[in-house]
């Protein structure tokens, strides 16, 4: 059996992936893009991918492919209908990075709410050593306790964030973008209510027709001027230009992003102009990538392959 690992470096070179070699002959590629995907999968029985496109164009000359495993939860890069027609199973991995993304969400929110970047710079610049009082709180900040934390997407990550926010004394409300949430642990509200009442608003929803540009100019107009927005979902859930205007015009107080509309970030992205880290923090799509999460991701793909070879459906997304 031949396996092609198309984006080996997407799980980090510090994580061992030799576990795949027990299934057969493995070819590893550091990264793969649309232009070279077809050549690399043509002899494979099993393909392990992340963002590389898996569609008719890249798979039509790969007659042996039986299973595509994703180093990811999302499968936007896979033409599921084509794969189903070909009899190719597609398996993703779920819930492997819930602790990491929830942790990052809280980190972004707390750094922005407490203006940590300003105070860190204040000390390191020498300004603190030069003052004659023991403390400095020139940039005002507030307790999280008593604030309202709004969530879009009450899946495993959203639910964990809700638990952490509640532990800090926040009231948690959420909006179900799909309308299908069965969560009864927290108050479910309409979208306009969520925008109007949230002091911190964090996004944990999949990208879909319902959520694309969900947070746009109209949404920012309805939010509190003191609100903090956190996006660890998908970049296109937030309209980039509208966010830039909201931040520069004071429609909201701050934003923390781990995802962008186009990744890596383009130099032309207007958000690159905002250098004040008390207003905007951007991290490079790494909230999911703790060592523990990446190790779990590899282990889960191994389990998906084992299940497939045993004739079982595990995490198959195109049944």
């Amino acid at each position: 059996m031949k396996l092609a690992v198309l984006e080996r470096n997407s799980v980090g070179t510090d994580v061992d992936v030799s576990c795949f070699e027990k299934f057969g002959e493995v070819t590893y590629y550091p990264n793969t893009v649309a232009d070279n995907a077809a050549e690399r999968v043509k002899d494979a029985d099993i393909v392990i991918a992340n963002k590389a496109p898996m569609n008719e164009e890249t798979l039509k000359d790969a007659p042996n492919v039986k299973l595509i495993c994703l180093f990811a939860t999302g499968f936007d890069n896979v033409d599921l209908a084509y794969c189903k027609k070909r009899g190719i199973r597609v398996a993703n991995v779920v819930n492997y990075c819930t602790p990491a993304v929830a942790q990052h969400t809280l980190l972004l929110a707390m750094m922005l709410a407490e203006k940590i970047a300003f105070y860190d710079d204040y000390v390191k610049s020498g300004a603190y050593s030069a003052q004659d009082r023991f403390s400095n709180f020139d940039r005002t900040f507030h307790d999280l306790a008593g604030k309202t934390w709004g969530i879009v997407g009450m899946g495993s990550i959203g639910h964990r964030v809700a638990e952490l926010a509640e532990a800090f004394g926040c009231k948690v409300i959420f909006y179900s973008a799909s309308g299908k949430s069965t969560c009864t642990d927290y108050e479910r509200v309409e979208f306009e209510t969520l925008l109007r009442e949230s002091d911190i608003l964090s996004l944990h929803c999949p990208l879909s027709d319902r959520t694309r540009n969900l947070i746009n100019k109209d949404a920012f107009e309805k939010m509190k001027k003191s609100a903090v927005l956190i996006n660890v979902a998908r970049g296109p859930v937030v309209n980039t230009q509208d966010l830039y205007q909201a931040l520069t015009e004071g429609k909201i107080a701050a934003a923390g992003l781990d995802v962008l509309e186009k990744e890596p970030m383009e130099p032309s992205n207007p958000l690159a102009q905002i250098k004040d880290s008390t207003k905007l923090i951007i991290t490079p799509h790494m909230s999911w990538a703790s060592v523990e999460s990446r190790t779990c991701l590899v282990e889960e793909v191994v389990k998906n392959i084992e299940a497939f070879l045993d004739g079982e459906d595990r995490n198959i997304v195109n049944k």
Side-chain angles (χ1 to χ4, degrees):
M1 183 172 292
K2 295 184 178 181
L3 292 79
V5 180
L6 299 184
E7 294 152 282
R8 185 264 175 270
N9 288 2
S10 69
V11 293
T13 56
D14 58 325
V15 172
D16 182 19
V17 296
S18 63
C19 47
F20 296 123
E21 293 165 19
K22 67 181 180 179
F23 299 115
E25 178 187 338
V26 183
T27 303
Y28 299 100
Y29 301 97
N31 190 43
T32 296
V33 295
D35 290 346
N36 52 28
E39 176 64 24
R40 294 177 176 184
V41 303
K42 66 179 183 179
D43 296 323
D45 297 288
I46 295 175
V47 175
I48 301 171
N50 189 324
K51 301 296 185 187
M54 294 287 100
N55 51 37
E56 183 173 5
E57 184 64 27
T58 56
L59 294 167
K60 64 182 179 181
D61 296 322
N64 300 327
V65 175
K66 306 173 185 67
L67 175 68
I68 295 172
C69 286
L70 296 169
F71 275 147
T73 299
F75 40 85
D76 296 349
N77 59 313
V78 183
D79 185 335
L80 297 182
Y82 173 76
C83 289
K84 186 173 183 177
K85 183 175 70 173
R86 280 273 309 272
I88 300 171
R89 294 292 210 180
V90 180
N92 71 343
V93 178
V94 297
N95 301 334
Y96 68 94
C97 61
T98 296
V101 179
Q103 173 180 296
H104 197 77
T105 303
L106 267 289
L107 171 68
L108 290 174
M110 294 175 72
M111 287 188 69
L112 290 165
E114 204 155 320
K115 300 179 176 62
I116 293 300
F118 168 80
Y119 288 109
D120 179 60
D121 182 68
Y122 186 83
V123 172
K124 291 176 179 175
S125 70
Y128 181 45
S129 297
Q131 70 174 45
D132 60 1
R133 53 194 171 105
F134 79 95
S135 183
N136 184 284
F137 40 88
D138 290 347
R139 293 281 188 98
T140 58
F141 55 93
H142 302 274
D143 293 341
L144 287 181
K147 299 297 185 293
T148 297
W149 191 304
I151 291 174
V152 178
M154 192 56 82
S156 61
I157 295 173
H159 199 276
R160 181 57 180 150
V161 169
E163 293 173 340
L164 294 173
E166 196 171 47
F168 277 93
C170 294
K171 174 188 175 182
V172 176
I173 59 176
F174 79 98
Y175 167 70
S176 173
S178 68
K180 299 177 181 178
S181 176
T182 59
C183 177
T184 57
D185 296 331
Y186 302 98
E187 182 184 356
R188 180 173 167 178
V189 298
E190 295 299 319
F191 186 50
E192 291 202 2
T193 302
L194 184 90
L195 297 173
R196 185 175 62 251
E197 296 187 2
S198 295
D199 296 294
I200 297 172
L201 175 58
S202 61
L203 310 177
H204 309 284
C205 53
L207 179 63
S208 68
D209 290 340
R210 291 174 179 264
T211 60
R212 188 179 297 274
N213 282 318
L214 181 70
I215 308 299
N216 56 20
K217 183 178 180 180
D218 289 342
F220 289 123
E221 293 288 347
K222 295 168 184 173
M223 293 174 67
K224 296 181 179 181
K225 291 185 181 301
S226 58
V228 173
L229 173 71
I230 307 296
N231 186 12
V232 293
R234 288 291 182 267
V237 175
V238 178
N239 183 287
T240 299
Q241 185 62 41
D242 292 352
L243 173 59
Y244 172 77
Q245 291 180 333
L247 289 170
T248 55
E249 295 173 7
K251 300 294 184 182
I252 63 171
L257 312 175
D258 187 53
V259 290
L260 297 164
E261 282 193 82
K262 292 185 178 180
E263 298 171 344
M265 187 178 190
E266 295 183 328
S268 60
N269 189 318
L271 296 175
Q273 300 175 41
I274 301 177
K275 305 301 183 182
D276 181 355
S277 293
T278 66
K279 185 178 290 291
L280 176 66
I281 295 175
I282 304 175
T283 52
H285 203 149
M286 44 72 70
S287 65
W288 65 278
S290 67
V291 172
E292 292 81 1
S293 292
R294 290 182 285 116
T295 300
C296 179
L297 178 58
V298 171
E299 292 171 347
E300 287 295 303
V301 171
V302 168
K303 291 176 183 178
N304 285 344
I305 296 173
E306 290 174 337
F308 173 78
L309 295 177
D310 289 338
E312 301 172 6
D313 284 344
R314 184 179 193 271
N315 294 330
I316 301 298
V317 296
N318 67 332
K319 295 181 182 179

